[in-house]
């Protein structure tokens, strides 16, 4: 029996083929999507670790620039000390240069790794399809196989390329900003978050039904439904 299952035919539909592809992503056992992603990037774990480190450092150096700017303003306005201003200006320049280096570092490590993962996954899927019997290939829909080999594999690559990176970078930026705000003034930090808390309380109310918004996903769904209802040529 092949990796995709010899007995799967057109009767299983798109759900069966998608489950087969997910088994290739997750291994012999059914794993979650994130665990499957981690398993596929594990051969490149050193490069990924370097890339995530550079991504985190990029946001750290980005947070240092407004910090040095505030210290420069305090040094000039409160102490009238130009040495503090010059030191902070040098710190801003160094932080900008370091941010550029770390930005280059994570882009040169994580982005190529995402394409390597896409290549490995597509090769595994292709080899699994080649191991199937002639009867399975005769029953399987070509469009489903091509969709799994293109759209789904590209989705995995996008998760590795930007999804995980944005989670790490966003978390670092939010946590770092809150720490810097608390170090500057806990009272001003409370005042900054107070309007957001009040807005969340005032917005809470009875749920009212409204007509669906014309989001891209809704438009695509309606377009697909319209195409499927067309009579055959």
């Amino acid at each position: 029996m092949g990796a995709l299952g010899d007995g799967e035919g057109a009767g299983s539909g798109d759900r069966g083929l998608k489950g087969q592809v997910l088994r290739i992503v997750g291994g012999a056992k059914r794993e979650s999507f994130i665990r499957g992603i981690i398993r596929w990037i594990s051969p490149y774990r050193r490069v990924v670790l370097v890339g995530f480190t550079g991504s985190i450092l990029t946001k750290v150096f980005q947070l240092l620039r407004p910090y040095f700017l505030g210290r420069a303003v305090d040094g000039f306005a409160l102490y009238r000390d130009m040495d503090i201003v010059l030191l902070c200006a040098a710190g801003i320049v160094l932080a900008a240069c370091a941010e550029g280096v770390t930005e280059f570092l994570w882009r040169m490590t994580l982005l190529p790794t995402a394409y390597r993962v896409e290549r490995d996954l597509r090769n595994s899927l292709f080899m699994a399809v080649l191991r199937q019997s002639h009867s399975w290939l005769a029953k399987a829909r070509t469009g489903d196989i091509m969709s799994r080999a293109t759209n789904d594999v590209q989705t995995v690559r996008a998760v590795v390329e930007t999804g995980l990176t944005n989670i790490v970078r966003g978390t670092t930026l939010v946590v770092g900003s809150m720490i810097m705000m608390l170090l500057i003034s806990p009272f001003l930090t409370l005042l900054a978050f107070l309007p957001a808390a009040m807005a969340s309380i005032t917005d809470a109310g009875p749920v009212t039904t409204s007509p669906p918004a014309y989001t891209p996903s809704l438009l695509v769904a309606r377009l697909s439904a319209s195409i499927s209802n067309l009579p055959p040529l």
Side-chain angles (χ1 to χ4, degrees):
M1 181 179 293
L4 292 180
D6 190 21
E8 295 290 344
S12 299
D14 182 71
R15 182 179 60 183
L17 185 59
K18 183 176 181 180
Q20 294 158 0
V21 175
L22 289 177
R23 281 195 292 274
I24 295 177
V25 177
K29 297 181 180 180
R30 179 65 62 85
E31 295 178 347
S32 65
F33 184 76
I34 298 299
R35 289 185 178 179
I37 292 294
I38 294 175
R39 190 175 68 87
W40 280 94
I41 66 177
S42 59
Y44 313 101
R45 53 184 174 272
R46 293 183 179 178
V47 180
V48 171
L49 180 61
V50 173
F52 278 126
T53 302
S55 179
I56 294 174
L57 290 178
T58 299
K59 291 304 177 182
V60 172
F61 291 127
Q62 183 178 349
L63 290 171
L64 287 178
R65 287 187 293 167
Y67 174 79
F68 285 132
L69 180 61
R71 289 294 177 260
V73 172
D74 292 340
F76 180 77
L78 299 179
Y79 306 108
R80 302 294 179 178
D81 191 348
M82 289 303 300
D83 292 337
I84 297 178
V85 176
L86 293 177
L87 288 176
C88 292
I92 293 175
V93 174
L94 292 177
C97 294
E99 180 184 352
V101 171
T102 53
E103 183 80 14
F104 177 81
L105 177 65
W106 82 261
R107 288 184 180 274
M108 292 301 295
T109 52
L110 290 182
L111 299 187
T113 301
Y115 283 94
R116 294 189 186 102
V117 171
E118 180 185 13
R119 176 201 61 195
D120 297 342
L121 182 57
R122 183 173 284 116
N123 289 339
S124 298
L125 178 61
F126 180 69
M127 295 303 297
V129 172
L130 290 181
R131 288 193 295 266
Q132 303 312 303
S133 63
H134 181 269
S135 61
W136 186 91
L137 294 174
K139 294 178 181 179
R141 292 179 293 183
T142 306
D144 292 342
I145 299 176
M146 294 301 299
S147 175
R148 303 309 169 195
T150 54
N151 297 336
D152 290 2
V153 174
Q154 290 174 1
T155 301
V156 175
R157 189 252 301 166
V159 171
V160 178
E161 181 180 6
T162 57
L164 298 178
T165 307
N166 289 337
I167 293 175
V168 174
R169 288 161 64 91
T171 303
T172 303
L173 187 62
V174 172
V175 174
S177 300
M178 294 185 64
I179 292 175
M180 291 185 64
M181 292 172 65
L182 290 173
L183 290 177
I184 294 173
S185 175
F187 179 71
L188 292 179
T189 304
L190 178 61
L191 291 181
F193 283 97
L194 187 60
M198 295 180 62
S200 62
I201 295 176
T202 55
D203 288 343
V207 178
T208 57
T209 58
S210 58
Y214 286 93
T215 59
S217 59
L218 180 60
L219 293 177
V220 170
R222 292 187 176 183
L223 180 61
S224 301
S226 300
I227 295 175
S228 62
N229 292 329
L230 291 177
L233 296 177

